[in-house]
C-alpha cells in the first residue's frame, strides 16, 4: 500500500510535466552549439548511429526538434548499412526515406559501407577507424555539434557502444579538431523499467537535466512523436511486432537526455 502511495503521485507528476513541457518547450532548451559558433547563419549538427532505424528508434525527439530549426542543417551518418540479415541494400533505401521524414535531404544521409564495420552484435568495431570516418565528416562539413550513443549504447548493442567509443576517441584525441569549437553529446542509457515507461519517465529525465548544466533534454510533443512513428514506418523490413510495441512504450520515442562528452 505504501508503495502504491509513492508510485502513483510520481506517475501523475510525470504526466503533468510531460504535458507542460510539450506546451512550454523553452523550459528545457539549452544551447548546444559552441558559443564561438553561435553567430553562424547556418549551424551544422551531425548524428552518428550504427544501423538504419537507430535514428528513428532512439533519436527521434531530437531530430524532430532539429526539424523545427531553420538555422540548423542536419547530417545523419550511419556507420553500417544494416546487412546482418542480408538486407543491407533494402535498409539503405529505408533509411533515406525515414530521414526525409525528419526534414533531411537524401544527400545529407551518409551510409558507411565498410567490411571492417559490419552489422554484427558480436563484433567490436575499431574505435580509431570509427573516429577517422567521423572526423572526416566533421572537418569537411564544419560540424558544430555531434550526437551519438553513450557507453551503454541504449540497448547494449556492441555496434552502438563502438559508435560512442569512436566518437569519444575523435573528440578527445583528434589533432585536426584541436582548435575547432565543437560540442559532442551522448544519449543517456537507462534501465529496462525506465526505458519502457514512456512519458512516465519524464520526472526522472527532468531531474537529470536539472542536475547537470552540461546536459540536454529534448521532448517530443504529439507532432514530434508522430514524426518518429512515421519515420519508423519507413523501415518496413524491421517493423516486427515487438518493435511496434517499442514505439508505444519506449521513452526514447518521447524524450532524449544527453550528457556532454568533451
Amino acid at each position: 500500500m505504501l508503495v502504491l502511495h509513492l508510485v502513483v503521485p510520481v506517475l501523475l507528476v510525470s504526466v503533468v510535466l510531460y504535458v507542460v513541457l510539450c506546451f512550454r518547450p523553452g523550459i528545457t532548451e539549452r544551447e548546444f552549439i559552441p558559443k564561438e559558433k553561435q553567430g553562424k547563419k547556418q549551424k551544422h549538427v551531425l548524428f552518428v548511429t550504427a544501423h538504419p532505424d537507430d535514428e528513428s528508434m532512439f533519436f527521434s525527439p531530437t531530430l524532430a526538434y532539429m526539424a523545427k530549426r531553420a538555422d540548423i542543417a542536419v547530417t545523419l551518418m550511419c556507420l553500417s548499412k544494416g546487412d546482418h540479415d542480408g538486407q543491407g541494400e533494402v535498409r539503405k533505401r529505408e533509411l533515406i526515406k525515414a530521414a526525409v521524414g525528419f526534414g533531411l535531404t537524401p544527400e545529407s544521409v551518409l551510409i558507411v559501407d565498410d567490411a571492417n564495420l559490419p552489422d554484427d552484435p558480436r563484433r567490436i568495431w575499431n574505435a580509431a577507424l570509427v573516429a577517422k570516418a567521423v572526423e572526416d565528416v566533421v572537418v569537411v562539413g564544419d560540424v558544430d555539434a555531434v550526437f551519438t550513443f553513450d557507453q551503454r549504447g541504449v540497448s547494449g548493442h556492441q555496434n552502438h557502444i563502438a559508435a560512442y567509443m569512436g566518437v569519444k576517441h575523435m573528440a578527445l584525441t583528434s589533432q585536426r579538431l584541436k582548435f575547432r569549437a565543437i560540442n559532442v553529446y551522448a544519449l543517456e542509457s537507462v534501465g529496462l523499467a525506465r526505458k519502457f515507461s514512456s512519458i512516465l519517465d519524464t520526472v526522472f529525465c527532468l531531474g537529470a537535466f536539472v542536475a547537470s548544466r552540461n546536459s540536454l533534454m529534448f521532448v517530443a510533443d504529439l507532432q514530434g512523436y508522430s514524426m518518429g512513428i512515421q519515420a519508423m514506418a519507413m523501415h518496413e523490413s524491421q517493423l516486427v511486432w515487438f518493435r511496434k510495441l517499442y514505439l508505444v512504450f519506449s521513452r526514447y520515442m518521447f524524450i532524449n537526455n544527453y550528457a556532454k562528452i568533451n
Side-chain angles (χ1 to χ4, degrees):
M1 198 65 171
L2 179 62
V3 173
L4 195 62
H5 281 304
L6 290 173
V7 171
V8 172
V10 171
L11 299 183
L12 290 174
V13 169
S14 279
V15 173
V16 171
L17 283 174
Y18 173 75
V19 173
V20 169
L21 293 175
C22 284
F23 285 98
R24 298 287 299 276
I27 293 173
T28 55
E29 278 194 8
R30 280 179 180 163
E31 188 55 69
F32 50 86
I33 302 295
K35 60 182 179 180
E36 299 92 330
K37 291 186 167 185
Q38 287 171 19
K40 284 176 66 177
K41 265 189 176 180
Q42 192 75 15
K43 288 88 171 174
H44 192 183
V45 171
L46 174 67
F47 285 81
V48 179
T49 64
H51 316 108
D53 78 11
D54 287 348
E55 80 299 329
S56 302
M57 291 183 66
F58 306 117
F59 296 92
S60 64
T62 315
L63 285 164
Y65 168 83
M66 298 296 174
K68 298 176 182 177
R69 293 278 301 266
D71 63 326
I72 291 178
V74 173
T75 295
L76 174 59
M77 182 180 190
C78 187
L79 295 170
S80 80
K81 63 179 183 179
D83 203 30
H84 184 63
D85 296 318
Q87 294 184 300
E89 294 307 312
V90 171
R91 298 191 69 187
K92 283 167 67 175
R93 292 192 294 272
E94 291 175 343
L95 174 56
I96 291 171
K97 288 194 288 185
V100 169
F102 284 117
L104 280 68
T105 64
E107 294 74 27
S108 62
V109 181
L110 308 177
I111 303 171
V112 178
D113 189 359
D114 188 327
N116 295 305
L117 300 175
D119 175 6
D120 187 342
R122 295 167 298 179
R123 179 79 173 267
I124 299 175
W125 294 343
N126 182 282
L129 179 63
V130 173
K132 178 65 171 60
V134 177
E135 181 188 60
D136 288 343
V137 175
V138 168
V139 172
V140 172
D142 188 24
V143 170
D144 305 308
V146 179
F147 292 84
T148 191
F149 294 102
D150 72 357
Q151 68 273 20
R152 290 192 287 161
V154 178
S155 63
H157 197 298
Q158 287 296 335
N159 298 165
H160 295 181
I161 295 168
Y164 163 79
M165 296 301 294
V167 171
K168 182 180 180 182
H169 183 75
M170 175 206 71
L172 300 181
T173 67
S174 172
Q175 293 300 307
R176 295 166 74 190
L177 300 181
K178 197 170 183 179
F179 300 106
R180 288 173 180 260
I182 183 171
N183 288 338
V184 183
Y185 296 96
L187 180 65
E188 178 193 25
S189 296
V190 296
L192 200 63
R194 286 185 60 193
K195 182 177 179 180
F196 292 105
S197 60
S198 185
I199 64 171
L200 302 181
D201 195 45
T202 307
V203 66
F204 302 106
C205 295
L206 191 59
F209 172 76
V210 172
S212 173
R213 290 188 302 171
N214 286 324
S215 65
L216 298 175
M217 181 175 173
F218 297 93
V219 178
D221 57 16
L222 292 181
Q223 182 183 10
Y225 174 66
S226 176
M227 190 179 290
I229 294 291
Q230 290 173 37
M232 190 60 201
M234 297 298 103
H235 294 283
E236 293 181 61
S237 67
Q238 305 303 301
L239 211 55
V240 292
W241 68 268
F242 58 85
R243 287 200 177 92
K244 292 178 182 177
L245 289 176
Y246 177 95
L247 298 180
V248 176
F249 293 106
S250 173
R251 53 91 83 171
Y252 290 98
M253 296 302 298
F254 296 93
I255 304 168
N256 286 158
N257 279 78
Y258 294 89
K260 195 164 182 279
I261 294 178
N262 59 337

